[in-house]
Amino acid sequence: MDIVGLMRTLSSATGISGYECALAESVRQAFQPFADEFSVDTLGNLIALKRATRPVAGVRRSIMLAGHMDEIGMIVKEVKDGYLRATDVGGIDFRTLLGQEVVVHGVRDLPGVIGARPPHVLAATDYEKPVPWDQFFIDIGLPADQVSELVHVGDLVSLRREFIELAEGHVSGKAFDDRAGVASLAVCLEQLSSLQHSWDVYAIATTQEETGLKGATTAAYGINPDIGIAVDVGFGAQSGVAEHESIRMNAGPAIAIGPNVHPKMQARLMAVGDLNEVPYQKEVIPGASGTDGWAIQVARAGIPTAVLSIPLRYMHTTVETLNVKDIERAGRLMALFISGLDEAFAADLGL
Amino acid sequence: MKALIKELVEAFGPSGYEEQVAELIRAKAQAVADDIRTDNLGNLIVLKKGTGGGKRVMISAHMDEIGLIVSYIDKKGFARFNPVGGLPISTMTGARVRFANGTVGVIYNEKDGWAGPGSLADCYIDTGATCPEDSPVQIGDVACINRPMEELGPRLTSKAMDDRIGCAVALQALLELPASPNDVYFVFSVQEEVGCRGAMVAAFGIEPDVAVAVDVTSWGDTPQAKPMAIELGKGPAIKVKDGGMLAHSGVKRWMVASAEAAGVPYQLEVLIGGTTDAYTIQTARAGVPTGCLSVPTRYVHSPSEVVDYNDVLNATRLMVQMLANPISW
């Protein structure tokens, strides 16, 4: 699979939380060759089903894989004097916004910029303070009367950023959180097409993760899988983040350890990684993982869940950076794990 | 509709203790309802059956209001208390409260009678008692703010506009609703102020095809208001986003189309903080397309919340339009 090409496609598409509909089509195309069936649920989750390829005797079992397709963005809260004021959808670091290019999704898509006061007119103390939310404005270059016609309160604003390739498998762009997870599901499905598996696989590009794990909450209820894995991004080692708070870049996905993860799911993933020489690392998450896994785990009467993290630098900026080899490894690890799922493991989990 | 609003906003019903409000609504809904029941958490669920072929719709307006609960009575009979929901400390000094049994108390703080209390721990309720033995209230008793409704020109002010004004809109829409294809479940929910907990279980039980919460929203048209494109008197607001949820884009389109069809003025709402019953309805079971109809309200959570009467009438007209016709987006 051309993971760089897939990431370029996914990163370039727009899909702010709650408005993932158009993006879901790109994801569907990526999953299409490897899935048997597609559906979209009430909250917009794209659900790809790949049926068991080994004969099923007795209980039909399933695993749910979740990578969220939504990205953080902004929403217009006021149109005044030809400028737009916006607030965030999901957790934008507003210190990174000055000077950004945006697309305003008004009556039609309009290019815009987030302006800043010239440094020449700033007081010395201004340099030390971030610009507060309510002083940000977006300029789309049109006269005020046309702006009011084309843009309304509640319209979305997405950040614009060209995808680039850095050296040695590293790529950089926007919305890698969590299109990287979505890409790893595509890799997993592709790998599974040359492996046999006894359980049905639901690969789900979930919605509204950034605004409260909503898509995963309803998808897990609707599908009612036996087990689940959430793939999201984790803090890759970078300047300014302590070693104990980060995972290593290009060292494989991190398998989470903590209360969000079923110990036997975690142990089995590690065993599969060891046996097949898929590099992985361990990440201790002592409480809420902040991923879809947190919602999946408590759906209905509870679902044994694991969480994988793809190392990523500069999270929630438009220059998120990762190594595509880690996406490939996460996908392969899940595929090998799924291929080995059997009734003995189900019994071990108490299913 | 003013008499109905007055009766609703002046009724007693802090979170978890909404029975008096429920009784009031039940009595008025009885004549037009096809079914009325109360669920395990106390939600009052009024069904208006459709003629068939329509959607199963849930409307949710919360009956509960913010209030307080007595935690300790000292040896001179003064009651200490904790908040029930988001009780603003700045409005406490000199406030009057009322308990379920009609007992009235006065709140004061002695930390700083001029500037206001630093925290609720500085406040106490004076019920006239002189010792615990003659206190008319006990530990665990719940009170609401005591404040009658008044008219301010075209506007109305009272405690508990949040969200009895939503209850009034939903109830009035129920009374006015002509025959429609839709089965409409009007839920008068409990415990919104402590985490939208009534609507959560009501939505699970009802399993609606689509849902709309009716609640108050914030404002941006007073001298030093935070920038917000919502004004009183400009019509009800159709929510796009708040602190807890993103409205379903299809539901939003249906609401906008309904407002335009009925000729009702409306405003689009992006609220920075706070949320409504829509927050928990949206993720019930496998998910519910959910939106929210808001009544612009000044001074939310203070004892003197202010709404525009025309906005209330227009919110009601919009809801009737939404429910009376086949629903699509």
Side-chain angles (χ1 to χ4, degrees), chain A residues 184 229-234 247-256 269-270 273 278-283 307-312 323-334:
Chain A
S184 78
I229 300 178
V231 197
D232 212 323
V233 292
I247 51 181
R248 284 165 291 131
M249 300 288 283
N250 195 15
I255 299 170
L269 277 165
M270 290 177 186
V278 183
Y280 68 86
Q281 44 191 325
K282 298 175 184 177
E283 180 185 20
V307 175
L308 294 182
S309 304
I310 295 166
L312 171 130
N323 195 303
V324 290
K325 285 183 221 142
D326 287 332
I327 296 179
E328 192 277 334
R329 289 158 179 157
R332 186 148 49 94
L333 180 64
M334 286 189 285

Side-chain angles (χ1 to χ4, degrees), chain A:
Chain A
M1 181 173 287
D2 172 16
I3 300 176
V4 172
L6 178 57
M7 282 303 287
R8 185 190 302 277
T9 304
L10 295 177
S11 168
S12 307
T14 304
I16 295 173
S17 305
Y19 298 82
E20 303 88 348
C21 190
L23 168 67
E25 199 40 50
S26 305
V27 178
R28 183 197 294 263
Q29 280 168 24
F31 289 179
Q32 188 83 58
F34 319 113
D36 297 313
E37 210 175 281
F38 284 93
S39 59
V40 174
D41 75 3
T42 304
L43 258 68
N45 293 297
L46 178 76
I47 302 166
L49 167 61
K50 185 175 185 321
R51 286 201 195 83
T53 51
R54 290 196 193 101
V56 178
V59 193
R60 198 166 185 99
R61 297 206 180 272
S62 67
I63 176 169
M64 162 176 174
L65 309 175
H68 71 87
M69 60 176 158
D70 62 313
E71 69 185 284
I72 55 175
M74 290 177 287
I75 189 165
V76 175
K77 61 169 183 163
E78 205 178 20
V79 181
K80 203 173 171 186
D81 306 329
Y83 294 100
L84 315 175
R85 306 244 180 227
T87 183
D88 70 329
V89 177
I92 278 193
D93 179 351
F94 60 82
R95 295 170 309 149
T96 67
L97 287 181
L98 285 185
Q100 292 272 12
E101 295 177 17
V102 299
V103 179
V104 178
H105 305 282
V107 171
R108 57 171 196 267
D109 283 359
L110 300 154
V113 294
I114 298 180
R117 295 167 67 207
H120 318 68
V121 305
L122 295 182
T125 49
D126 289 338
Y127 284 96
E128 288 153 25
K129 292 179 291 195
V131 179
W133 256 115
D134 55 5
Q135 285 178 26
F136 274 100
F137 59 87
I138 296 163
D139 183 353
I140 55 175
L142 287 170
D145 54 332
Q146 284 188 48
V147 174
S148 317
E149 268 172 40
L150 293 171
V151 187
H152 300 103
V153 172
D155 286 346
L156 294 171
V157 179
S158 57
L159 292 157
R160 212 166 120 138
R161 177 67 67 171
E162 196 184 338
F163 174 94
I164 55 171
E165 282 185 73
L166 307 175
E168 309 209 339
H170 291 92
V171 294
S172 177
K174 74 166 179 73
F176 285 10
D177 175 3
D178 184 33
R179 310 277 160 81
V182 174
S184 78
L185 300 195
V187 172
C188 171
L189 290 174
E190 183 194 41
Q191 299 254 337
L192 276 175
S193 56
S194 56
L195 294 168
Q196 296 286 303
H197 55 104
S198 307
W199 292 26
D200 289 339
V201 180
Y202 291 93
I204 308 178
T206 60
T207 57
Q208 298 201 39
E209 190 271 354
E210 298 289 1
T211 52
L213 319 178
K214 301 209 167 153
T217 302
T218 63
Y221 184 94
I223 287 164
N224 196 15
D226 291 286
I227 61 176
I229 300 178
V231 197
D232 212 323
V233 292
F235 303 115
Q238 69 171 84
S239 170
V241 179
E243 199 179 327
H244 69 271
E245 290 174 328
S246 60
I247 51 181
R248 284 165 291 131
M249 300 288 283
N250 195 15
I255 299 170
I257 304 170
N260 191 184
V261 176
H262 194 292
K264 288 178 179 168
M265 292 278 291
Q266 158 209 317
R268 172 65 80 103
L269 277 165
M270 290 177 186
V272 168
D274 291 337
L275 183 68
N276 296 282
E277 296 183 346
V278 183
Y280 68 86
Q281 44 191 325
K282 298 175 184 177
E283 180 185 20
V284 173
I285 303 181
S289 68
T291 71
D292 282 343
W294 192 244
I296 296 167
Q297 186 180 31
V298 294
R300 295 203 183 222
I303 295 171
T305 299
V307 175
L308 294 182
S309 304
I310 295 166
L312 171 130
R313 289 181 180 146
Y314 323 128
M315 199 181 292
H316 282 208
T317 71
T318 55
V319 292
E320 293 180 328
T321 298
L322 58 75
N323 195 303
V324 290
K325 285 183 221 142
D326 287 332
I327 296 179
E328 192 277 334
R329 289 158 179 157
R332 186 148 49 94
L333 180 64
M334 286 189 285
L336 292 163
F337 171 84
I338 291 167
S339 179
L341 290 171
D342 56 15
E343 276 308 299
F345 185 57
D348 196 28
L349 288 173
L351 297 173

Side-chain angles (χ1 to χ4, degrees), chain B residues 17-50:
Chain B
Y17 299 84
E18 301 88 351
E19 298 89 342
Q20 294 184 20
V21 185
E23 273 321 299
L24 221 158
I25 295 171
R26 179 189 281 269
K28 294 182 192 302
Q30 203 93 55
V32 296
D34 292 300
D35 181 50
I36 302 190
R37 64 192 173 87
T38 301
D39 75 5
N40 291 336
L41 251 68
N43 295 301
L44 182 73
I45 300 172
V46 182
L47 169 62
K48 176 83 174 163
K49 275 192 82 68

